[in-house]
Amino acid sequence: MKLRFVITIGLLVSIAQADGFRKYAGEFLSAGVGSRALGMGGAFTAVANDVTAGYWNSAGLVDSPGLQFQFMHAKQFMSSIQYDYFGASKSINEKSSF
């Protein structure tokens, strides 16, 4: 009986302590890249046609004209998370890009 009580209390304490970090886990996956895409609220997937298409929808890289570079740096949650992105694309011909 005492062992069951100790285990229950231990589990409740560990769950309560782990709950404080849940909101920041995996936030880098939902950060997004590009001012145009973020301005559209992330609805950029269907019209991705620039260098950020590598993040949103890689099939859209075919529509990116010429040679493009992009660098983005973002700080979130009072600088506890820093996010960097670098992308480059080069149009090879009408149906392919790198």
Side-chain angles (χ1 to χ4, degrees):
M1 185 72 170
K2 287 183 182 182
L3 180 61
R4 179 186 262 175
F5 179 74
V6 170
I7 291 174
T8 304
I9 295 299
L11 286 174
L12 290 174
V13 168
S14 66
I15 290 170
Q17 288 176 348
D19 190 38
F21 296 102
R22 188 181 312 169
K23 62 183 176 179
Y24 297 126
E27 283 295 320
F28 66 95
L29 295 173
S30 64
V33 296
S35 58
R36 180 178 173 206
L38 295 175
M40 294 175 68
F44 189 67
T45 305
V47 294
N49 59 357
D50 61 0
V51 68
T52 61
Y55 180 89
W56 295 101
N57 181 3
S58 57
L61 284 173
V62 174
D63 294 332
S64 65
L67 177 65
Q68 295 183 1
F69 294 98
Q70 180 174 11
F71 177 75
M72 183 179 127
H73 175 77
K75 292 182 181 182
Q76 296 179 338
F77 307 113
M78 296 184 299
S79 299
S80 64
I81 296 175
Q82 296 188 16
Y83 181 71
D84 294 316
Y85 174 82
F86 178 77
S89 71
K90 169 71 173 121
S91 178
I92 297 173
N93 59 30
E94 194 174 283
K95 295 183 181 181
S96 60
S97 65
F98 177 73

